[in-house]
Amino acid sequence: MPAAIHPPRVAVVGAGAFGGNHLRVLSEMPEAALVAAIEPDPARAASVAERYRIPVLPSVDAALSADLTLHAAIVAVPTVHHCAVASQLLAAGIDCLVEKPLAASLPEADQLIALARRHARILQPGHLERFNPAVLAMQSDLRGPMFFEAHRLSVFTPRSLDVDVVLDLMIHDLDVVLRFAASPVRDLRAVGLPILSGKVDIANVRVEFDSGCVANFTASRVSTERVRKLRYFEPGRYVSIDYARRDALVIAVDQNFQLEAAMRAGAAEDFVHGLPGLHFDKPTIAPGEPLRLELESFLRSVHTRCQPAVTATEGRQALELALSIQQQMADHAQRAGLAS
Ligand SMILES: NC(=O)c1ccc[n+]([C@@H]2O[C@H](COP(=O)([O-])OP(=O)(O)OC[C@H]3O[C@@H](n4cnc5c(N)ncnc54)[C@H](O)[C@@H]3O)[C@@H](O)[C@H]2O)c1
């Protein structure tokens, strides 16, 4: 896109629960001109048209036939439709931010990556947590994490039921841990159970990386509480990220502290008041809405033509791990006599 065309003309495809968030944030951003939405559901289309005063087309075909001069689109349709919708847009020369997961299968992800390359388009997967201010802060201060514990629990809502909990929720943590661990996956074990939806609603996974780092993931969409946490241990440090609060707690071990010496010196009473040898710190984290930061980043790539902060290849890696987990869960269900 020539530098003169700014802000880019953007459409949101799929005005459901999450597309609605994109519409709200984009409508407030000077970096974008929100010019249209694409939504086949007539009631949703009418409500979006009224709220944002933009044309709402029923399909990508209709949008491409209309005189919209689109530069970029946010693809927020159900995951099973990501590939069909984004393929049409990329082939028409439109940059795409495709909600996570990038696609429903690896051949579909490869098709999108090839199309983006062929048409020289920006293709960014919507791995929102990468733009969580707590993740951004800790990513710039990694010290070789060796053990991760990720929990992502949600109460049940009848949404995203086209995919299981691994592609729906766990994919966020898979993506972040793949980046933080920075090592190829060596081995994994997984168990998952369908509870309400007919697809796996609760899953527990153990991943081992070539580096020896180990990560445990738990994801549930049938929980009684909402939890979004990532904890990890590095040499001399424990870090706890709360994605929902967008903050982090860092507990560092005093390298000179010796437990036995402290006990001999009579420091045992100190344990009543706290843990000697440990330093608690809450790093200052710049506030920010992850979705806005993600969209700003995408629009920067659209404008400058530089590689997105989260690449389609990284989206494919997260998807590949998620699909291997699904295979392991199916194997486990078979062994345990749980497969229907
Ligand atoms: N990044 C995140 O944190 C996050 C959170 C929730 C959902 N999502 C992702 O967003 C996507 C949408 O999820 P949702 O919960 O909003 O789903 P949803 O069912 O609430 O909304 C999807 C919308 O897309 C519309 N649609 C279906 N096919 C279409 C097509 N071919 N063209 C145009 N519109 C079409 C539907 O009518 C519906 O309004 C999914 O990929 C999901 O994984 C991401």
Side-chain angles (χ1 to χ4, degrees), residues 13-19 38-41 44 76-79 81-82 85 99-101 126 128 159-160 172:
V13 191
F18 214 67
I38 300 167
E39 171 55 59
D41 180 275
R44 280 184 182 169
V77 300
T79 301
H81 301 308
H82 283 187
V85 167
E99 262 310 330
K100 59 78 204 161
L128 183 64
R159 285 186 28 231
S160 296
H172 286 292

Side-chain angles (χ1 to χ4, degrees), residues 85-291:
V85 167
S87 294
Q88 257 191 299
L89 293 163
L90 291 167
I94 296 166
D95 296 321
C96 288
L97 187 157
V98 179
E99 262 310 330
K100 59 78 204 161
L102 178 60
S105 70
L106 290 181
E108 286 184 357
D110 289 337
Q111 177 177 319
L112 293 182
I113 290 169
L115 272 170
R117 208 166 280 151
R118 190 175 321 141
H119 295 275
R121 291 301 97 198
I122 304 292
L123 173 62
Q124 177 173 333
H127 285 295
L128 183 64
E129 295 292 21
R130 288 264 220 115
F131 298 91
N132 189 307
V135 172
L136 290 169
M138 297 319 299
Q139 188 168 11
S140 61
D141 187 25
L142 288 171
R143 303 184 187 178
M146 288 307 288
F147 176 60
F148 291 90
E149 192 76 47
H151 284 95
R152 190 170 291 264
L153 316 178
S154 288
V155 294
F156 186 75
T157 57
R159 285 186 28 231
S160 296
L161 301 184
D162 56 321
V163 292
D164 69 4
V165 73
V166 176
L167 287 182
D168 178 12
L169 298 181
M170 191 184 283
I171 191 95
H172 286 292
D173 301 304
L174 299 176
D175 171 63
V176 170
V177 170
L178 278 170
R179 304 282 63 88
F180 277 28
S183 175
V185 171
R186 172 193 293 262
D187 192 23
L188 70 89
R189 294 276 182 277
V191 56
L193 293 172
I195 306 290
L196 290 176
S197 74
K199 294 192 168 67
V200 167
D201 293 315
I202 181 163
N204 179 262
V205 178
R206 180 185 191 275
V207 175
E208 189 173 337
F209 297 90
D210 272 356
S211 62
C213 173
V214 167
N216 287 325
F217 300 87
T218 301
S220 168
R221 56 185 181 187
V222 288
S223 175
T224 53
E225 56 179 341
R226 186 175 188 274
V227 176
R228 270 140 179 62
K229 283 195 173 174
L230 176 67
R231 295 135 170 146
Y232 56 90
F233 295 83
E234 301 175 315
R237 242 176 41 149
Y238 162 80
V239 178
S240 175
I241 290 177
D242 189 317
Y243 293 109
R245 287 203 314 246
R246 301 173 197 165
D247 69 10
L249 172 68
V250 178
I251 305 177
V253 182
D254 180 347
Q255 295 301 310
N256 298 318
F257 178 74
Q258 290 181 335
L259 181 60
E260 285 179 13
M263 304 246 318
R264 274 199 305 276
E269 313 83 73
D270 289 352
F271 286 81
V272 177
H273 306 294
L275 295 172
L278 298 183
H279 302 290
F280 290 69
D281 181 35
K282 278 208 161 231
T284 306
I285 291 172
E289 182 180 359
L291 189 56

Side-chain angles (χ1 to χ4, degrees), residues 15 37-57:
I38 300 167
E39 171 55 59
D41 180 275
R44 280 184 182 169
S47 130
V48 168
E50 188 187 331
R51 179 162 176 194
Y52 296 103
R53 304 276 159 210
I54 51 173
V56 182
L57 291 307

